[in-house]
Amino acid sequence: MPELPEVETVRNTLKRKVLNKTITRVDILYDKIIKTDLATFKNNLVNQTIIDIERKGKYLLFKLNDYYLISHLRMEGKYSLKKATDAIEKHTHVIFHFADDTELRYLDVRKFGTMHLKPIEKVYMGEPLEKLGLEPFDEGFTVAYLKSKFTGNRPIKNVLLDQEIIAGLGNIYVNEILFLAKLHPEKPVNQLTEQNLMDIIEASKVTLEKAIKLGGTTIRSYTSDDNVTGRFQNELLVHGKVNEPCPVCQTPIIKIKVSGRGTYLCPHCQKL
DNA sequence: GTTGACACCTGGACGC
DNA sequence: TGCGTCCAGGTGTCAA
C-alpha cells in the first residue's frame, strides 16, 4: 500500500512524465473516487496545465494553473501514462486526456482512492489536508512535538498511524519503526520515556529515508507504476516475516493484531 | 472529546 | 476444477 516513500516515488516518476502537459478532457468511469462535485471537477480541469507535482503525507498534489488536484492512492491506486489509442485496462477509473494525445490514467483495483480539486489559495483549507500532522522530515518533528501529541493511553502503534499526528506513516513502516525503536506496538504512549521518543524520531527518519532511496516497497498489491518496482521490501526487518528469525536476537518474529491491523514484532526485543 | 468497530472494495491464498 | 471463506489495510463514519 502506498505510504510516504511510495507516494514520493510516484511523484518523482510522474514529474518526469506529465509535467507541462495540458488537460483537454477528463473521463470519470467510477464516480466515488471524486470527492468534489463531478461537473465542477471535470469542467475546472479543462485547459489546466500540470505545473508541478508535490506531496503532503500520503497525498499527491498536482499543481495546476488555478487548482490543486489532490490525489490519495489509498491501498492500490496507481497512475499510468498511455497513448490515447491504447486499450483501456481493467480497473481504470479516471482518465485525464492531454493535448498531445497522451492520457494519464488512474487505476485502482479496490476503488479506495480519492481525488479532490481545490483552488490553489485554499489547498490547505478544510478536507483533506487541513488536519494533517507533521512529517518525520519536518523541522518541528521533535521530542517536544511528540510529547504534546502523545496523550492518553492509546497504543503507540495506533498513534503512529494517526495522520493527524504524523503524516505519511502506514502499517508497514510503523511495524519497522517500532522494531528499530525496540517498542512493543501495544505500549501506551503515556508510558514512553524521552529516550523512547528520540528513538521513534530516529527510526522514522532512517526507515523513510532508506525506503525513499530504494523506491519504496513493492508488495503483492502495490507497485508505483507499470514499470517501477521498489526495492525496500528486501530491507524489511519484521513486516511479513512471521516465524523468521529476528535480525537482532534470532527469536522467531510473531504476528499479532493491534486494532485489527496485522502487526509483526520480535517478542524478545519488543517487550510490553 | 476519545476510542474502537465497521464499511468500503477486490483479488489472491487456502481449504475442502 | 470450482466454490466458499478469510485476509490485506487507509480512512471516514458512527456508536459507545
Side-chain angles (χ1 to χ4, degrees):
Chain A
M1 64 303 305
E3 301 181 29
L4 189 155
E6 289 74 34
V7 179
E8 185 65 16
T9 302
V10 173
R11 183 177 84 90
N12 290 327
T13 305
L14 282 178
K15 277 186 81 167
R16 290 195 297 271
K17 293 184 173 183
V18 302
L19 234 47
N20 299 316
K21 287 182 182 273
T22 300
I23 298 168
T24 56
R25 196 176 91 232
V26 179
D27 288 339
I28 300 168
L29 310 180
Y30 183 73
D31 294 357
K32 286 187 178 178
I33 302 280
I34 312 301
K35 301 303 178 185
T36 302
D37 173 74
L38 282 185
T40 305
F41 185 88
K42 291 173 79 165
N43 293 335
N44 288 353
L45 280 172
V46 173
N47 292 326
Q48 294 288 312
T49 299
I50 300 175
I51 295 169
D52 197 6
I53 304 177
E54 303 168 8
R55 181 191 56 72
K56 177 71 178 173
K58 300 175 192 174
Y59 288 91
L60 208 51
L61 280 65
F62 293 82
K63 187 177 186 183
L64 309 167
N65 304 93
D66 305 309
Y67 299 93
Y68 267 104
L69 170 63
I70 306 166
S71 171
H72 196 306
L73 305 174
R74 292 285 181 98
M75 306 301 298
E76 299 186 31
K78 67 176 84 170
Y79 284 97
S80 183
L81 185 68
K82 297 286 186 184
K83 293 176 186 168
T85 51
D86 289 341
I88 306 293
E89 296 171 273
K90 196 178 178 184
H91 307 306
T92 301
H93 304 311
V94 184
I95 304 174
F96 301 92
H97 300 266
F98 295 127
D100 62 357
D101 283 335
T102 60
E103 301 175 350
L104 182 64
R105 299 176 183 172
Y106 177 75
L107 297 86
D108 190 342
V109 171
R110 295 193 207 177
K111 301 178 176 176
F112 279 5
T114 61
M115 291 184 194
H116 294 75
L117 188 67
K118 306 201 79 163
I120 283 181
E121 66 276 13
K122 294 181 179 175
V123 64
Y124 287 108
M125 293 168 66
E127 292 294 322
L129 304 181
E130 186 175 39
K131 291 182 178 176
L132 280 185
L134 295 178
E135 293 185 10
F137 300 128
D138 288 338
E139 271 189 24
F141 191 71
T142 60
V143 168
Y145 175 75
L146 294 185
K147 263 187 179 176
S148 71
K149 297 291 184 182
F150 284 11
T151 55
N153 59 355
R154 295 167 71 193
I156 177 62
K157 176 161 189 188
N158 291 14
V159 174
L160 292 182
L161 286 170
D162 187 339
Q163 301 300 300
E164 293 184 17
I165 295 175
I166 304 174
L169 298 184
N171 197 42
I172 294 176
Y173 294 111
V174 167
N175 283 337
E176 296 296 301
I177 289 164
L178 288 173
F179 173 74
L180 285 178
K182 293 183 164 51
L183 289 169
H184 193 285
E186 292 177 312
K187 193 174 180 78
V189 286
N190 57 7
Q191 292 180 15
L192 298 179
T193 64
E194 274 206 15
Q195 183 60 51
N196 291 151
L197 302 183
M198 285 191 278
D199 290 343
I200 288 171
I201 291 170
E202 177 67 15
S204 301
K205 289 179 179 173
V206 166
T207 302
L208 294 182
E209 278 173 5
K210 192 170 183 181
I212 289 172
K213 192 176 173 185
L214 293 174
T217 306
T218 300
I219 60 173
R220 178 185 63 79
S221 65
Y222 171 77
T223 56
S224 65
D225 184 89
D226 292 343
N227 301 309
V228 179
T229 303
R231 287 172 284 128
F232 190 71
Q233 70 274 11
N234 301 324
E235 307 292 323
L236 292 172
L237 301 170
V238 291
H239 186 87
K241 304 283 187 182
V242 67
N243 289 330
E244 293 186 30
C246 165
V248 174
C249 71
Q250 311 304 311
T251 302
I253 301 297
I254 63 168
K255 182 184 181 186
I256 62 172
K257 288 263 187 184
V258 178
S259 298
R261 302 287 168 86
T263 302
Y264 300 86
L265 69 139
C266 169
H268 183 261
C269 297
Q270 297 167 266
K271 288 195 168 72
L272 189 59

